[in-house]
Amino acid sequence: MLDPTLPLGVFDSGLGGLTVVREITAALPHERVLYLGDTARVPYGARSPETVVRYAQACARALVQRGIKALVVACNTVSAVALDVLRVDLDLPVLGVIEPGARAAVAASRSLRIGVLGTAGTVASGAYPRAVLSISTRAEVTAHAAPLLVPLVEEGWIEGEVPHLAVRRYLEPLARARVDTVVLGCTHYPILRPILEQEARAMLGEVAVVDSAHATAAELSHMLSTRGLLRTRGDGDVELLVTDRPRTFAELTQRFLGGEEREAHVIDL
Ligand code: DGL
C-alpha cells in the first residue's frame, strides 16, 4: 500500500518540466513534489527512442529509490516513447502528459481537426495521433515538429519578432490542415502560449490552444483521489534534483516555475 504523504515524483529531460510542476502545485496545493531534471543530458527531443527509454529508466529509478507514491513523466518526448516501458518496470502509478493532452484536445475541438506541435522525437513517434485516434476515430491529427521553440525559450527569447516568426512558420502546416485546436505538446511551449495563441488566432480564427501540462495536473488530481493517494492537508513543497547545475539555473527555474529563487541538489544517475 503506497503512503499518501510520500512526494510525487516528476521528471523531465531538463527544467522545462517545471511548467508541469507549476500546474500540479496550483491544482494540488498540499502535495509534495520531488522533481528531477536531467540537465546533464538535455535535450532529449532529437535523440533515438532507445536512448530516451534508457535515460527515462535511469531517471525513474533515481526517484523511486528516494521514495515516491506516483510518477509523473513531465517530458512529452519521454511520454511518447517510454511510458509503456516505465509502466511495466515500476510498481506504482505512472502518468504521462500525452494521454491527458489528447483527451483535452478532443474535448476542446468541434471539427476534430487537431494540430500538435512537439519535438522531433514526439512527432516521429506518432504518439499524439495514436492517443487522439484511440478516443475518436473521426479525428484528423496534423503533428508538426517545432524544434527551434525549445532553445528560444531556454535563451529567454520569449517576446519580439523572432519567436513570432518561428511560431508563424511552425503553425503553417496546421493552418493548411484547418485545425480548430492546437496542442502544446512540449514542456517549453506553455511559456510561449501568448504568442502561440495570438498567431494561431491570426492564421486560423477561432482556435483552442490546449496545454498538456494543465490537462495532466487535472488528471493527476483525479488519479490520486481514486487511488486514495491524495494529500489533503499540510503544506506542499517542491524539492529539485538535477544531474548538472546549468549556468542559467536560477533564470530557468523562475521562467518555468515562477516564485522565489530555488536551490537544487546535483545527483548522478
Ligand atoms: N522536455 C522535452 C519535451 O517535452 C523538451 C526538451 C527536450 O528536447 O528535451 O518533449
Side-chain angles (χ1 to χ4, degrees):
M1 179 69 191
L2 292 159
D3 173 1
T5 63
L6 284 174
L8 292 163
V10 181
F11 80 92
D12 178 43
S13 54
L15 295 170
L18 291 172
T19 55
V20 178
V21 172
R22 192 171 60 184
E23 296 289 344
I24 292 174
T25 54
L28 300 163
H30 303 293
E31 293 297 339
R32 296 163 57 215
V33 174
L34 180 60
Y35 179 88
L36 171 60
D38 190 8
T39 43
R41 299 189 288 197
V42 68
Y44 285 7
R47 298 191 194 277
S48 68
E50 295 74 20
T51 299
V52 174
V53 167
R54 197 155 39 82
Y55 288 180
Q57 286 175 308
C59 290
R61 246 191 330 263
L63 288 171
V64 169
Q65 272 163 10
R66 283 166 174 80
I68 55 171
K69 63 181 174 184
L71 181 70
V72 179
V73 178
C75 181
N76 284 258
T77 309
V78 174
S79 300
V81 301
L83 206 68
D84 292 344
V85 175
L86 294 177
R87 281 184 171 148
V88 170
D89 280 358
L90 304 176
D91 207 11
L92 42 73
V94 179
L95 185 67
V97 287
I98 291 190
E99 289 157 2
R103 271 190 281 275
V106 171
S109 177
R110 274 169 295 147
S111 67
L112 288 178
R113 279 193 301 273
I114 293 168
V116 180
L117 295 179
T119 64
T122 298
V123 171
S125 74
Y128 269 106
R130 258 196 317 280
V132 167
L133 291 171
S134 75
I135 303 162
S136 171
T137 49
R138 289 188 300 116
E140 278 171 44
V141 183
T142 304
H144 191 63
L148 283 184
L149 301 188
V150 167
L152 282 179
V153 171
E154 298 256 336
E155 290 299 323
W157 285 42
I158 54 179
E159 281 167 18
E161 58 177 341
V162 175
H164 273 277
L165 186 65
V167 162
R168 259 201 309 275
R169 283 288 178 88
Y170 288 138
L171 285 173
E172 271 167 17
L174 276 51
R176 278 197 297 277
R178 291 180 297 114
V179 305
D180 76 350
T181 301
V182 176
V183 181
L184 308 186
C186 174
T187 46
H188 289 55
Y189 303 169
I191 305 296
L192 292 171
R193 187 180 181 124
I195 295 180
L196 280 150
E197 272 176 347
Q198 190 187 331
E199 294 296 344
R201 287 197 182 124
M203 294 165 86
L204 283 153
E206 201 47 49
V207 63
V209 174
V210 169
D211 174 345
S212 44
H214 184 77
T216 301
E219 287 207 12
L220 177 65
S221 168
H222 180 70
M223 184 190 88
L224 293 176
S225 59
T226 54
R227 293 178 186 233
L229 287 175
L230 198 64
R231 193 166 185 244
T232 49
R233 66 180 84 111
D235 287 340
D237 58 43
V238 179
E239 188 183 338
L240 300 182
L241 306 174
V242 290
T243 48
D244 189 15
R245 194 184 156 89
R247 199 174 23 87
T248 50
F249 174 80
E251 217 177 288
L252 286 171
T253 49
Q254 280 187 317
R255 188 167 307 142
F256 292 124
L257 187 58
E260 79 264 26
E261 228 175 83
R262 308 227 171 212
E263 261 320 303
H265 296 288
V266 180
I267 63 161
D268 249 344
L269 295 182

